[in-house]
Amino acid sequence: MIYDVLYFAWVRERIGLPKEKVTSDATTVAGLVADLCAREERYAVAFSDISALRVALDQELSTFEAPLDGVREIAFFPPMTGG
Amino acid sequence: MRVIVQEQPFDLAAEVESFAKGRTDLGAVVTFHGIVRGDDTGTLDHMMIEHYPGMTERALTTIAQEAMRRWSLGDVLVLHRFGEMRAGDRIMMVATAARHRKDAFEAAEFLMDYLKSRAPFWKKEYAADGASWVAAKSDDEDALSRW
């Protein structure tokens, strides 16, 4: 499957881009993260502590265990600081 | 109900003036606005607020709808800025209108608690000695448990 993967805040800075197309056979978010980390060091650095990260699937907050069935857009970011 | 995400400054007086105007059934309006706070050392030059276009509007709408569901409200306004801001600039505002003040006060607090950690905004502070991302506070996450 091809996904739109988005990065925000320091995740974007560490990976070095805001958005990219990612092709992966992973069935869960965690599987996709493992694929990315295996690609290049900058991904492994950004995802070194996923407890410090949040994920949204098609613009809804989700979890790293969530399945990717039917998902088009995946976003990774640190805990939000609105208000 | 209105949800607004914008880069440019907003006119607080005009928003307050027009909010729930003409509604004779609502006896209470609560408004809150957040301001960029300078740091203790006075070195903050500016702040950049990044957001997730699309998800931001959805998240704010969901939070505002949840407030309307939980409290008896006649109207809700949520307005949040992104982009560059300096100390003293207004970042955001919420307004709630209800028949009685308790609903309006509680709903405004609920909106603020959820905006803090469920709306996709991230703040980066730029000071003379460098830039850093503002870390989320565990207190902010804990604040959600009371609702």
Side-chain angles (χ1 to χ4, degrees), chain B residues 43-54:
Chain B
T43 57
L44 179 72
D45 182 70
H46 67 280
M47 173 184 277
M48 282 296 295
I49 300 185
E50 181 173 334
H51 80 119
Y52 181 172

Side-chain angles (χ1 to χ4, degrees), chain A residues 2-35:
Chain A
I2 302 173
Y3 302 99
D4 285 316
V5 181
L6 284 69
Y7 310 108
F8 292 95
W10 58 254
V11 183
R12 171 179 54 72
E13 291 178 342
R14 285 184 198 174
I15 291 171
L17 76 179
K19 185 176 183 176
E20 63 182 326
K21 298 266 186 205
V22 173
T23 303
S24 171
D25 295 326
T27 56
T28 64
V29 176
L32 180 90
V33 169
D35 278 1

Side-chain angles (χ1 to χ4, degrees), chain B residues 4-19:
Chain B
I4 303 161
V5 181
Q6 66 181 38
E7 185 163 15
Q8 67 270 29
F10 58 94
D11 184 337
L12 177 65
E15 293 296 345
V16 173
E17 174 62 23
S18 63
F19 181 72

Side-chain angles (χ1 to χ4, degrees), chain B residues 9-87:
Chain B
F10 58 94
D11 184 337
L12 177 65
E15 293 296 345
V16 173
E17 174 62 23
S18 63
F19 181 72
K21 193 181 173 86
R23 291 283 298 267
T24 55
D25 56 326
L26 304 171
V29 169
V30 166
T31 68
F32 171 89
H33 63 279
I35 298 166
V36 178
R37 183 174 50 235
D39 55 0
D40 296 339
T41 52
T43 57
L44 179 72
D45 182 70
H46 67 280
M47 173 184 277
M48 282 296 295
I49 300 185
E50 181 173 334
H51 80 119
Y52 181 172
M55 182 175 168
T56 308
E57 291 80 358
R58 286 174 65 143
L60 295 181
T61 300
T62 300
I63 294 166
Q65 285 171 339
E66 181 64 14
M68 298 280 284
R69 194 183 67 75
R70 290 192 188 204
W71 287 275
S72 179
L73 300 174
D75 204 0
V76 171
L77 166 67
V78 177
L79 189 160
H80 205 301
R81 294 178 62 200
F82 60 92
E84 184 177 324
M85 274 159 256
R86 288 172 189 278

